[in-house]
């Protein structure tokens, strides 16, 4: 088999050489270094609508959308205007603003499980804090998570983790002490018996169960309804707190997130990405009696100088307003169905063993002959084939996530014509694999 050309223009190659001398691996977050597919990452100059432009002047149809936030495409005028208005007043106060209450109200109105919410700066902060609050509220230590699910780089959750941790072969990171992980119980996603066994073995000890209600961090893996319902009933009868990590799915799969889409309401929810409209903002919330454990209402400590930052709040608030005023979810579902059907037909035509799995505007083409319902099954994908597919599409101007274990995202600006162009190019690449 001939090695595919690792396409990256001269300027990206030079920029990466420089960056590698300055930052670990040349990046500020590992997934974007292209480690899973080999070659040089493309350095981005700017973005517009559904497109990314690299510093060599190449244009790409963007299917990462900043790994989730850009549901309205890049630089939506309503969001840019809101940011500009906030900027004109100041960039950080370290004191309360009315805008924070407005965003809190928008989140509470949208997300069924959230009665009170705390704004933070990232999804990682949101999950880290939610776990602490769940432990504080229940007086219990153990936390259940699922292999291949990723909840940011929180020590106790960086066990059998998905996303870049799985991609780069460090699902259990060095630096996480045995103590930090000793209260984490790792189970298999979609495994109802595993959940029931854990609750019978550790009755009264489990503070929380945390999961991605649709996994994006081992590629797109939907839950079964039975799995979600088992989680809900087991946690309720044990007095444990069910946490949906909706950092990826929140405001994406429905305005109220996966919990609205599937009709299963957890006790707590973590949010990030879309809630910040492309700026650094996360949030965690839930039942008022649980959230009232957070300082200064209660005693569970959590704080942040930049939490509720006015510029990020303005971007998030404007994004949510736009999604509420003009809900795009039927359109996104239809586009997702079109992309899934087209990719499946192309892969089948060329005899490529594959699965296309999607929910709304999250989708993965797995190079795997069998359905992917959990991490051991995801781990059996043909990563080499994925790498060739990824680079083949880059050469044709399509920018997919640079790992088999990251879902792709698209925006309201990905038209049927763009989707058809993508399918056509994928067809050509799959023919040549
Ligand atoms: N954690 C993100 C994907 N699940 C990747 C962030 C990045 O590398 O930019």
């Amino acid at each position: 088999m001939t090695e595919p050309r690792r396409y990256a223009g001269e300027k990206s190659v030079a920029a990466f050489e420089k960056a590698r001398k300055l930052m670990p691996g040349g990046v500020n977050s590992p997934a974007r270094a292209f480690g899973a597919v080999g070659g040089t990452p493309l350095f981005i100059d700017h973005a517009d609508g559904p497109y990314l432009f690299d510093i060599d002047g190449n244009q790409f149809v963007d299917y990462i959308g900043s790994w989730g936030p850009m549901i309205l495409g890049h630089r939506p005028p309503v969001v840019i205007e809101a940011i500009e208005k906030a900027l004109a007043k100041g960039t950080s106060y370290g004191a309360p603003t009315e805008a924070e209450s407005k965003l809190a109200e928008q989140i509470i109105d949208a997300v069924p499980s959230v009665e009170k919410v705390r704004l933070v700066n990232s999804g990682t902060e949101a999950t880290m804090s939610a776990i602490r609050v769940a432990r504080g509220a229940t007086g219990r230590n153990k936390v259940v998570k699922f292999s291949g699910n990723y909840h940011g780089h929180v020590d106790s959750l960086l066990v059998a983790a998905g996303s870049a941790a799985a991609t780069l072969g460090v699902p259990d990171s060095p630096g996480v002490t045995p103590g930090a992980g000793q209260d984490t119980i790792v189970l298999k996603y979609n495994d109802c018996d595993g959940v029931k066994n854990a609750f019978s073995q550790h009755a009264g000890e489990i503070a929380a169960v945390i999961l991605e209600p649709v996994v994006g961090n081992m590629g797109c893996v939907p839950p079964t309804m039975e799995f979600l319902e088992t989680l809900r009933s087991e946690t309720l009868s044990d007095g444990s707190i069910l946490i949906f990590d909706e950092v990826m799915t929140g405001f994406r799969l429905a305005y109220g997130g996966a919990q609205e889409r599937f009709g299963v309401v957890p006790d707590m929810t973590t949010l990030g990405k879309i809630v910040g409209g492309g700026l650094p903002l996360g949030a965690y919330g839930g039942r008022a009696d649980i959230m009232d454990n957070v300082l200064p209402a209660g005693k569970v400590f959590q704080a942040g100088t930049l939490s509720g930052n006015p510029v990020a709040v303005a971007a998030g608030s404007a994004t949510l307003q736009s999604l509420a005023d003009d809900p795009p979810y039927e359109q996104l579902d239809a586009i997702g169905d079109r992309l899934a059907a087209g990719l499946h037909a192309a892969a089948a035509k060329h005899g490529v063993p594959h699965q296309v799995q999607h929910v709304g505007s999250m989708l993965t083409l797995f190079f795997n002959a069998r359905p992917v319902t959990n991490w051991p099954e995801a781990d059996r994908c043909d990563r080499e084939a994925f790498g060739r597919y990824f680079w083949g599409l880059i050469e044709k101007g399509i920018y997919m996530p640079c790992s088999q274990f990251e879902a792709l995202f698209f925006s309201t600006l990905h038209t049927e014509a763009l989707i058809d162009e993508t399918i056509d190019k994928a067809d050509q690449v799959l023919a040549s694999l």
Side-chain angles (χ1 to χ4, degrees):
M1 174 209 326
T2 50
E3 251 320 272
R5 186 160 67 91
R6 302 297 195 213
Y7 175 91
E10 277 172 21
K11 289 185 180 167
S12 278
V13 171
F16 191 45
E17 258 174 44
K18 177 175 178 184
R20 280 205 294 188
K21 294 184 187 127
L22 303 170
M23 292 169 276
V27 289
N28 284 310
S29 186
R32 65 185 74 164
F34 282 20
V37 290
T40 300
L42 308 179
F43 277 58
I44 301 304
D45 180 67
H46 68 284
D48 193 18
Y51 298 108
L52 283 177
F53 298 83
D54 74 5
I55 56 176
D56 286 282
N58 300 303
Q59 174 176 324
F60 301 90
V61 183
D62 179 15
Y63 283 96
I64 63 168
S66 187
W67 304 95
M70 312 318 296
I71 192 167
L72 301 175
H74 292 280
R75 297 196 288 140
V78 282
V79 179
I80 298 300
E81 273 164 34
I83 291 172
E84 281 169 355
K85 262 196 201 160
L87 267 179
K89 292 173 149 191
T91 55
S92 184
Y93 311 122
T97 61
E98 289 181 304
E100 289 161 80
S101 294
K102 176 168 180 216
L103 179 56
E105 220 162 33
Q106 288 173 296
I107 295 170
I108 290 164
D109 286 348
V111 185
S113 64
V114 178
E115 294 171 355
K116 277 196 178 171
V117 64
R118 170 67 60 91
L119 304 182
V120 291
N121 298 287
S122 67
T124 291
E125 265 189 68
T127 57
M128 176 181 73
S129 310
I131 293 292
R132 187 180 302 145
V133 173
R135 285 176 162 151
T138 57
R140 302 174 180 185
N141 294 338
K142 295 198 184 301
V143 168
V144 170
K145 71 151 297 215
F146 297 92
S147 53
N149 283 212
Y150 174 74
H151 306 290
H153 55 95
V154 179
D155 277 7
S156 64
L157 301 176
L158 213 45
V159 183
S163 187
T167 303
L168 304 175
V170 286
D172 308 284
S173 171
V176 174
T177 61
Q182 76 180 6
D183 286 317
T184 307
I185 299 168
V186 182
L187 302 179
K188 214 156 67 173
Y189 199 75
N190 276 322
D191 177 7
C192 298
D193 288 341
V195 171
K196 288 179 193 158
N197 288 340
F199 274 100
S200 79
Q201 222 180 315
H202 301 285
E205 292 174 3
I206 299 173
V209 176
I210 186 166
L211 75 153
E212 293 180 72
V214 171
V215 190
N217 284 298
M218 55 176 160
C220 181
V221 177
T224 63
M225 273 315 291
E226 189 195 355
F227 180 58
L228 294 182
E229 281 161 3
T230 301
L231 289 171
R232 184 60 289 186
S233 63
E234 290 290 321
T235 46
L236 270 178
S237 60
D238 190 68
S240 170
I241 290 175
L242 181 60
I243 306 173
F244 276 11
D245 179 351
E246 297 235 34
V247 167
M248 279 186 177
T249 53
F251 304 103
R252 177 164 287 280
L253 299 187
Y255 189 54
Q259 56 198 271
E260 177 189 322
R261 189 169 182 123
F262 294 103
V264 176
V265 179
D267 304 298
M268 293 185 80
T269 298
T270 57
L271 296 163
K273 303 196 189 272
I274 290 174
V275 77
L279 268 70
L281 191 145
Y284 65 99
R287 282 182 2 224
D289 63 303
I290 297 174
M291 290 304 291
D292 279 340
N293 284 280
V294 180
L295 202 72
K299 295 213 162 100
V300 177
F301 191 88
Q302 184 271 307
T305 297
L306 289 167
S307 292
N309 173 268
V311 184
V313 164
S317 195
T319 301
L320 299 199
Q321 197 61 55
S322 167
L323 294 171
D325 291 346
D326 189 11
Y329 301 102
E330 276 181 26
Q331 174 200 335
L332 291 172
D333 280 6
I335 288 286
D337 290 345
R338 190 179 186 96
L339 182 58
L343 292 177
H344 168 64
K349 182 166 92 185
H350 301 299
V352 177
H354 72 283
Q355 303 292 319
V356 181
Q357 297 187 184
H358 87 292
V359 181
S361 53
M362 293 170 69
L363 182 150
T364 298
L365 169 58
F366 285 106
F367 288 83
N368 192 325
R370 298 183 53 76
V372 175
T373 66
N374 57 38
W375 172 249
E377 290 167 357
D379 198 23
R380 287 198 282 269
C381 289
D382 182 346
R383 292 160 163 88
E384 290 289 316
F386 176 82
R388 295 195 295 278
Y389 170 72
F390 170 81
W391 282 109
L393 283 176
I394 286 283
E395 292 198 27
K396 294 186 184 304
I398 308 288
Y399 194 114
M400 290 284 176
C402 51
S403 162
Q404 174 73 99
F405 306 120
E406 300 281 0
L408 70 76
F409 302 102
F410 52 83
S411 75
T412 53
L413 302 181
H414 286 70
T415 58
E416 287 187 358
L418 267 188
I419 295 297
D420 291 348
E421 180 193 325
T422 303
I423 293 166
D424 186 46
K425 290 181 173 169
D427 183 285
Q428 295 167 35
V429 173
L430 289 163
S432 69
L433 283 188

